[in-house]
Amino acid sequence: MIKMTAAALSISLLMAGGNTLAQQGAMEKKMEMAGPVDRAKILAAPGVSGNFSTYKVRPDYYRLSAAERKGAAAQVLAVVEKHKAKIIVDAYLTRGFEAKSDYLLRIHSYDMAATQAFLVDFRATRFGMNSDVTENLVGITKGLNYITKDKSPDLNKGLSSATYAGDAPRYAFMIPVKKNADWWNLSDEQRLKEMETHTLPTLGNLVNVKRKLYHSTGLDDTDFITYFETADLGAFNSLMLALAKVPENKYHVRWGSPTVMGTIHSFENVVNMLSMGN
Amino acid sequence: MIKMTAAALSISLLMAGGNTLAQQGAMEKKMEMAGPVDRAKILAAPGVSGNFSTYKVRPDYYRLSAAERKGAAAQVLAVVEKHKAKIIVDAYLTRGFEAKSDYLLRIHSYDMAATQAFLVDFRATRFGMNSDVTENLVGITKGLNYITKDKSPDLNKGLSSATYAGDAPRYAFMIPVKKNADWWNLSDEQRLKEMETHTLPTLGNLVNVKRKLYHSTGLDDTDFITYFETADLGAFNSLMLALAKVPENKYHVRWGSPTVMGTIHSFENVVNMLSMGN
Amino acid sequence: MIKMTAAALSISLLMAGGNTLAQQGAMEKKMEMAGPVDRAKILAAPGVSGNFSTYKVRPDYYRLSAAERKGAAAQVLAVVEKHKAKIIVDAYLTRGFEAKSDYLLRIHSYDMAATQAFLVDFRATRFGMNSDVTENLVGITKGLNYITKDKSPDLNKGLSSATYAGDAPRYAFMIPVKKNADWWNLSDEQRLKEMETHTLPTLGNLVNVKRKLYHSTGLDDTDFITYFETADLGAFNSLMLALAKVPENKYHVRWGSPTVMGTIHSFENVVNMLSMGN
Amino acid sequence: MIKMTAAALSISLLMAGGNTLAQQGAMEKKMEMAGPVDRAKILAAPGVSGNFSTYKVRPDYYRLSAAERKGAAAQVLAVVEKHKAKIIVDAYLTRGFEAKSDYLLRIHSYDMAATQAFLVDFRATRFGMNSDVTENLVGITKGLNYITKDKSPDLNKGLSSATYAGDAPRYAFMIPVKKNADWWNLSDEQRLKEMETHTLPTLGNLVNVKRKLYHSTGLDDTDFITYFETADLGAFNSLMLALAKVPENKYHVRWGSPTVMGTIHSFENVVNMLSMGN
Amino acid sequence: MIKMTAAALSISLLMAGGNTLAQQGAMEKKMEMAGPVDRAKILAAPGVSGNFSTYKVRPDYYRLSAAERKGAAAQVLAVVEKHKAKIIVDAYLTRGFEAKSDYLLRIHSYDMAATQAFLVDFRATRFGMNSDVTENLVGITKGLNYITKDKSPDLNKGLSSATYAGDAPRYAFMIPVKKNADWWNLSDEQRLKEMETHTLPTLGNLVNVKRKLYHSTGLDDTDFITYFETADLGAFNSLMLALAKVPENKYHVRWGSPTVMGTIHSFENVVNMLSMGN
């Protein structure tokens, strides 16, 4: 049996006090209320909620007249407009790459419930009503955990200086990652070491591939959602091979499943491309 | 071969006599018959049956006229009213967070068959008839097993004194947990030790996250149903990370699958929000 | 290479001669042909075929008029009547407990093909035609394998004397069990020892829980179908926890998946309860 | 790095020359072209293609008039007649035993493409058009691999002399088997030894159970398709238990999944039994 | 913590510079713009995108009039014609071999987005609109990784000299391969050794079986897509058994799942064969 002193209890409670992610997010949220969400800012901020969902257009949609389908995009854009003070949405065409989806949505907000409100409204449009959601993952953004200025200065510098220098990305990938209990039971130092080994061989690919990370432990059946953009599929394949070849990979119980690949388009174009047909 | 004495047989039979959970539940049940179920009481009592079910609204529902859908909530509330002496029901909106469901119901009663009777009636309403059940888990409540006053006094005190002090919760989570044969074959002392190691790092998060536990071994394909409410997704993520980092995690064969996340609403609002559309 | 003598071959062939299960069943079958199946007798006999199937009522069923649905039970009962000389059928309501089914059927006969003939006829009724079968497991009954008078006299006595003494059971459970290759490669003595360790802690629960076992190796993707009835869910949960805590559990590759829980009703009532709705 | 001599390369190429299975099959095929396929001959020949497929009748089928359904069998038989010079088809009723199918087809031909041509035509009949294929496994027949006259003379003699002596079989089983990499990485001698240990305890059951084996490595997601016929389910269960108790079982990654059980009928009867209903 | 010098960072960045796969592909692409894609050239080039997708024809398709179905192939061919400067498409009939598909498409292009554009147009035809995509895997071609002239000269020579000498292939197979973390954490030398052991026993089958390899790590939930053509199913089975028997097989976490087998036809014929029916 563990004998615990009052002191140990205090430390434990103190640690909880350090969790100000939500407060931070709430503060940012208030600052944004006046106008549309600031894209650059929300993509860089911690405490932001990220929501990834994939959809398949139901066969019934193509029984609607071409005219009815033509109006679908306008309805969708009206819903985006209605929610623009709280969320930003990115759309991707996955048809032709994925069996389980035709398109992918990525939504950022300072409040997960605001994202939900948008999606409920979206599903009430003609296009949304004719879409089956086939995957939905949620996560939150955080500052760097391991490769920080303090813990790993050289690699941190490498990460900061390795800027994307490729053509405008045409492809995006959403890949969930879940780690096993052995990983989480490593000490912080051991995990830092593995993350350094993970980071080194990938630095070279940061000129060709953009990355963003979302944390999901407990929020969903994944620990992380990793998101990538690239114009160069060969470079992206090389990056993923480099990540397969480090010991960290041995702790993965989920890496992909699904790997979702899409091309980057405006939401309007995605809806229009999926509304074609006799 | 095991030679067993009459004495051993008696002990074994005696242990069965100690199982008065059902009797206790039955007693409480009678006390409740007069009026509506006492919410505070049933949420604290042992021997209570908990029933979690998730649903997806069938596409056909949106072919009904808006008027027909408008009346759906009233029908549902009438069924709730009819069963109010036996069950209480909590509803959650999961659309926008989950691919496999649009809403989640949590039902408490002193008699699992009473819960079933309610759900059979609910499924006969227009809204229920247009809902596909996508998950259904059942469990019963018990008193604390491990972190009791006797076995682990300090932690028990920590648990008692750590009261929720956050904003009114907006989010709820339903997460099943199943343990492997190695866990169940540990001695009681070993499992107590692991549960203490599990409890210590989580005390700090009890100010931000409410918890409730249901026991399901043999009743369903899970050992436990864990239920959480919070206003702070970052704090909840921290709590779940703390639970991932203790050795107990190595004994999990199911933790999530699904992790169901929803926002807390009245049943009426859930039905209405899912009944929108041209 | 194994050199095998004619003697070894004979022994092997001799063992096959000992398999008279089917002959036994066939004999019993003839004795039953005159009138309806004797329920008490068939539930106790070896060589009986058990068939468990679960169903979900198709949404289309609720588009039929209430009158058409009202007549469904009579049609079903007529089919039961037609086959009563060969089969007995038990029905359970699972809606509200299970996501994958609305009801469960358990059928006994002395001839598996007779069970199939009944089910083919049942599926041709209006109710059967509107039901999707979601699980179907078959097995046969045998005498005790391990805890016999000879091999384990004390436990055998314990099993015989531990009679059900609870209220009339309201709940039934169907739980498949499959064991791994390591289990089957143990010697008979080793498996007997594990079964004794399994039996001892469960004796006490036999006053609250009834049990029946079906053997399915090769007949289906499970080794056993375990069936339980109880009025006391807490006692049943305790029994299953006791079974989780013995080493035998380490050899399980399937225990549940699904665990099917239902309430015990007449077939007529099950059909009627699932035929309600505007 | 492996240094390889020209000689090693030649040996490797030589081995390929020994693969005359297809040529053999082609030769047999030409001999058959004149009349219907010779059943006894094709069931004994190596180089024959076996095709197993299971189907579920779509609910829509029962919306057709009884008259339309009555004509279904004739249409199916016409297709069988058209292809009788190239294929033979066996049909089994699985409804009542299997959740995922209503019937099973087993087709033999000397040319897999001829089997496909038949199935494409069958799926264009009213019955085939209303059937969803739920499983499809293909394999080819070969001579004995392990228990040959040379390698294992006594067991080979046992296999040859153990003739089926039961009643006309009423039940058939289709059970896929896949082995893990450890099995395939054993030496030929080690695998022979395991197959001998596998064969010995099963000899006794050959009087009650007929067996046939198809090889599928690379052709499908299984290594073998095992097929059985019996009149005695107890004897079949004993046979399968004997196979579970030998070390070979430890190398199985798939044994069943699905286990498909059916009763043996003419194709006409299977269609007619599944075409009943108001 | 890893101390990293500026030099290490440079090396890492330099390696990225070596990744010119996409540039190479882009260059080839421009050269092709004038006329139809050169089949021989694209099938031999590195940096080419390969896209495999399987489809099941929806039952509704057969409710269209025979006349409407008759026109389906012409519509499909018009779409192929429209995209012929950017893609080539191969079609395979899988009905009768696979439960999850009726046909398979393999598409090559120098630009994955061009493949997507074709598939989006294809799905807008009557036939495409009535097809459900059931699997979709993408990969890119590369030069030989292991068995190169430098690293393994003898085997490389063996590979070059072993030309296909069989009849015109009638069958094609698409088999995904995924390797575990242990494989990817081997040194390059260790993986080369395993690939040599893998290559030697397969050389002999290259006279009967054609092979092509696509790399998918990170692009999809597989590491490789292996594609085969043969006229001799027995030879193909022998090749796959040889690959099962080398140690490399122990590193596979996916090999098949699905194994897709089809017969080789023109796209027109595939559409026509699947458009038959009263």
Side-chain angles (χ1 to χ4, degrees), chain E residues 119-139:
Chain E
L119 283 168
V120 167
D121 273 2
F122 165 62
R123 297 290 301 283
T125 67
R126 198 174 309 139
F127 189 72
M129 215 172 253
N130 279 285
S131 295
D132 282 320
V133 59
T134 53
E135 183 63 86
N136 201 336
L137 294 173
V138 303

Side-chain angles (χ1 to χ4, degrees), chain A residues 15-245:
Chain A
M15 279 161 63
N19 195 313
T20 57
L21 218 52
Q23 293 151 30
Q24 206 172 327
M27 209 184 314
E28 306 261 5
K29 186 179 134 198
K30 263 177 219 146
M31 290 163 65
E32 293 294 339
M33 285 297 97
V37 175
D38 179 330
R39 182 175 180 88
K41 212 164 159 187
I42 200 169
L43 286 182
V48 167
S49 89
N51 188 306
F52 293 79
S53 49
T54 61
Y55 303 84
K56 240 180 134 80
V57 180
R58 212 171 295 128
D60 287 347
Y61 185 57
Y62 301 100
R63 291 191 185 146
L64 299 181
S65 69
E68 281 180 292
R69 278 181 274 139
K70 221 166 205 170
Q75 250 191 345
V76 167
L77 294 187
V79 170
V80 173
E81 179 69 20
K82 176 183 163 193
H83 290 265
K84 74 176 176 190
K86 301 242 182 121
I87 63 111
I88 55 168
V89 54
D90 292 289
Y92 311 85
L93 184 69
T94 63
R95 179 176 284 189
F97 298 152
E98 302 300 323
K100 296 203 176 131
S101 66
D102 289 324
Y103 64 101
L104 161 72
L105 298 184
R106 179 175 65 137
I107 300 164
H108 292 89
S109 77
Y110 294 104
D111 179 18
M112 195 77 89
T115 298
Q116 184 181 47
F118 164 73
L119 282 168
V120 167
D121 274 0
F122 165 62
R123 298 290 299 284
T125 67
R126 196 175 311 139
F127 189 72
M129 215 171 254
N130 278 285
S131 294
D132 283 319
V133 59
T134 53
E135 182 64 88
N136 200 337
L137 294 173
V138 302
I140 53 180
T141 59
K142 296 184 181 179
L144 281 179
N145 261 350
Y146 299 105
I147 311 300
T148 60
K149 270 189 199 172
D150 289 348
K151 294 186 201 158
S152 196
D154 292 325
L155 275 169
N156 179 271
K157 209 169 145 185
L159 278 178
S160 316
S161 59
T163 334
Y164 183 82
D167 294 335
R170 301 164 67 207
Y171 301 101
F173 292 86
M174 189 279 283
I175 304 179
V177 177
K178 188 166 175 61
K179 284 169 165 162
N180 66 12
D182 287 336
W183 172 263
W184 292 116
N185 274 271
L186 294 178
S187 68
D188 288 350
E189 290 69 29
Q190 287 168 313
R191 283 199 308 273
L192 171 59
K193 192 171 152 288
E194 296 299 347
M195 290 311 292
E196 290 178 326
T197 309
H198 153 130
T199 302
L200 185 55
T202 67
L203 284 176
N205 290 106
L206 297 185
V207 294
N208 307 100
V209 181
K210 290 184 181 180
R211 303 193 286 188
K212 192 161 171 65
L213 184 68
Y214 304 81
H215 299 252
S216 301
T217 306
L219 303 177
D220 225 324
D221 285 323
T222 184
D223 286 319
F224 305 99
I225 306 166
T226 61
Y227 171 83
F228 306 87
E229 294 183 357
T230 189
D232 182 344
L233 296 180
F236 180 64
N237 171 249
S238 297
L239 168 62
M240 297 307 275
L241 277 170
L243 290 175
K245 289 175 180 175

